[in-house]
Amino acid sequence: MKNNQAIETNWCVITGGPSTGKTTTINMLAERGYKTTIEHARHYIDTMRVDGQSVEELRSNKRAFQLGVLDMQIEQEASIDPNDLVFLDRAIPDALAYYRFLELTVDKILKEALRKVNYKKVFILDKLPLINDYARLESENDQNKIHSLITAVYESLPFPVVHVPVLPPSERVDFILNNLKPI
């Protein structure tokens, strides 16, 4: 990204709080032939677990965890062709919501990254019932707070935001694809 400025992209963000169906939606988009990305928080956890760290150990240093995830997200977005239609499983602004949730001071790395972002459209998936697993440890209260923060962050940015209602997974994907048309 030249001159520290945001460049126009053809990227769409699939986001929402924990347990909103992001990964299911991304996987279904990939099955339909669209380019997609992975969620970096889960990937970071998986990478560090291979190195012998537990999820609890990783999450105990909130800043290091968030920076690890953010670094992966920045690297990934820098590697994507801005002209390609790509569905991102979360994006850099999600980090700001998590920083706020964890009451972390926003550092220079995140500020710089936020100045460079540009997305064609942001799809915020409405919440589903919370289902925890090895990587998702949030409570229902946390889920609600994170979802609200993610919504507030994206709605404060100059990208079109579309709220995706709870629908059967294939209908959610159809809803997203039908909303790709220009506003």
Side-chain angles (χ1 to χ4, degrees), residues 72-134:
M72 286 180 153
Q73 190 71 45
I74 290 168
E75 185 178 322
Q76 178 179 349
E77 290 189 27
S79 73
I80 302 171
D81 184 332
N83 299 306
D84 288 348
L85 172 59
V86 179
F87 290 94
L88 287 75
D89 189 338
R90 296 198 180 278
I92 291 169
D94 285 71
L96 180 57
Y98 276 89
Y99 270 61
R100 289 176 179 171
F101 173 72
L102 297 168
E103 299 178 347
L104 297 173
T105 303
V106 176
D107 49 41
K108 184 179 179 181
I109 295 167
L110 180 53
K111 286 179 185 175
E112 286 297 315
L114 287 167
R115 276 196 270 275
K116 297 176 186 177
V117 298
N118 192 339
Y119 307 106
K120 178 179 181 173
K121 214 166 245 192
V122 177
F123 294 95
I124 300 176
L125 305 183
D126 283 351
K127 294 179 300 173
L128 299 171
L130 180 65
I131 299 172
N132 284 320
D133 60 20
Y134 75 94

Side-chain angles (χ1 to χ4, degrees), residues 12-32:
C12 296
V13 179
I14 306 293
T15 192
S19 208
T20 54
K22 294 176 300 297
T23 302
T24 299
T25 301
I26 285 287
N27 289 343
M28 291 183 82
L29 285 161
E31 287 169 10
R32 292 191 189 190

Side-chain angles (χ1 to χ4, degrees), residues 36-106:
T36 61
T37 65
I38 61 169
E39 180 190 2
H40 286 288
R42 188 171 294 272
H43 180 63
Y44 182 76
I45 289 169
D46 292 343
T47 302
M48 295 297 110
R49 284 177 70 207
V50 167
D51 290 342
Q53 294 186 48
S54 71
V55 176
E56 293 75 17
E57 288 172 317
L58 286 169
R59 290 189 178 238
S60 66
N61 186 338
K62 296 172 185 177
R63 179 167 298 284
F65 180 80
Q66 291 304 315
L67 283 172
V69 173
L70 178 61
D71 285 345
M72 286 180 153
Q73 190 71 45
I74 290 168
E75 185 178 322
Q76 178 179 349
E77 290 189 27
S79 73
I80 302 171
D81 184 332
N83 299 306
D84 288 348
L85 172 59
V86 179
F87 290 94
L88 287 75
D89 189 338
R90 296 198 180 278
I92 291 169
D94 285 71
L96 180 57
Y98 276 89
Y99 270 61
R100 289 176 179 171
F101 173 72
L102 297 168
E103 299 178 347
L104 297 173
T105 303
V106 176

Side-chain angles (χ1 to χ4, degrees), residues 3-22:
N3 299 331
N4 221 18
Q5 297 294 317
I7 57 171
E8 260 192 63
T9 72
N10 203 23
W11 308 340
C12 296
V13 179
I14 306 293
T15 192
S19 208
T20 54
K22 294 176 300 297

Side-chain angles (χ1 to χ4, degrees), residues 113-167:
L114 287 167
R115 276 196 270 275
K116 297 176 186 177
V117 298
N118 192 339
Y119 307 106
K120 178 179 181 173
K121 214 166 245 192
V122 177
F123 294 95
I124 300 176
L125 305 183
D126 283 351
K127 294 179 300 173
L128 299 171
L130 180 65
I131 299 172
N132 284 320
D133 60 20
Y134 75 94
R136 184 184 304 127
L137 307 174
E138 295 86 5
S139 68
E140 195 171 322
N141 189 41
D142 292 343
Q143 177 195 33
N144 292 331
K145 285 181 186 175
I146 294 166
H147 189 78
S148 293
L149 288 166
I150 288 171
T151 300
V153 164
Y154 279 102
E155 287 182 345
S156 74
L157 298 172
F159 316 120
V161 173
V162 176
H163 292 271
V164 181
V166 174
L167 297 165

